[in-house]
Amino acid sequence: MTRDQLQIIFTDDSSTIRKGVSRALKSAGFSNITEFENGSQTLQHLEINFGNGEQNLSKVVLISDIEMPQMDGLTLCKNVKQNSNLKNIFIIMFSSLINKQMIAKCNAVKADNYVTKPETNQLIQLLDELCIGSED
């Protein structure tokens, strides 16, 4: 899979972070990025667009901040992983709060990985590994 085939759903309540990370991802060749400012908007989008279980979710990645209004990233991750039609979406928690306790919380809600803000290079490397690891 190429970088532009990966569907990235990016959730962060900071418009500055959203713009900066999206710019970095787009300049790296990831062109399919949808942005949201909180977990409830994101979950609603995922349920509407992927909730019927008919899509190939190997091309979908959710990158989420942890601390957000309305629904935080951990709750969003838990809801996605508990939904039988959404559970195969690869989830990366992207937060400045990554420490041992937070890693334990990320693991508890079955997040697939985590990256400390603002490590966009590490994020790009992780996304590239997903592209290489997919079958097409």
Side-chain angles (χ1 to χ4, degrees):
M1 173 171 45
T2 59
R3 285 178 168 183
D4 63 331
Q5 290 175 306
L6 194 63
Q7 283 188 60
I8 298 172
I9 316 286
F10 181 45
T11 305
D12 197 301
D13 58 322
S14 163
S15 62
T16 307
I17 298 284
R18 278 197 317 272
K19 285 176 189 157
V21 171
S22 288
R23 192 178 314 112
L25 293 176
K26 285 176 181 165
S27 68
F30 296 99
S31 57
N32 194 346
I33 304 169
T34 309
E35 299 176 18
F36 296 96
E37 62 185 45
N38 65 58
S40 1
Q41 289 176 347
T42 307
L43 185 60
Q44 187 176 19
H45 170 81
L46 292 172
E47 287 171 341
I48 290 168
N49 292 283
F50 304 102
N52 63 10
E54 294 172 11
Q55 289 83 0
N56 175 3
L57 298 179
S58 68
K59 295 181 179 180
V60 181
V61 176
L62 170 60
I63 302 169
S64 179
D65 184 18
I66 292 176
E67 284 194 334
M68 295 181 292
Q70 294 184 31
M71 181 187 291
D72 66 79
L74 294 170
T75 305
L76 170 62
C77 181
K78 183 178 177 185
N79 281 314
V80 170
K81 293 298 184 177
Q82 287 178 342
N83 181 317
S84 59
N85 290 331
L86 301 176
K87 67 182 180 188
N88 293 326
I89 292 174
F90 193 91
I91 300 178
I92 302 169
M93 303 310 295
F94 187 60
S95 173
S96 54
L97 303 171
I98 302 295
N99 56 32
K100 283 184 179 174
Q101 291 85 357
M102 194 53 75
I103 290 169
K105 289 180 181 182
C106 289
N107 291 334
V109 295
K110 297 185 173 39
D112 295 289
N113 216 315
Y114 42 84
V115 174
T116 304
K117 277 182 191 172
E119 297 290 332
T120 49
N121 289 340
Q122 188 182 347
L123 194 57
I124 289 168
Q125 184 181 348
L126 189 54
L127 294 170
D128 276 342
E129 288 170 15
L130 288 174
C131 289
I132 293 165
S134 77
E135 288 127 35
D136 23 308

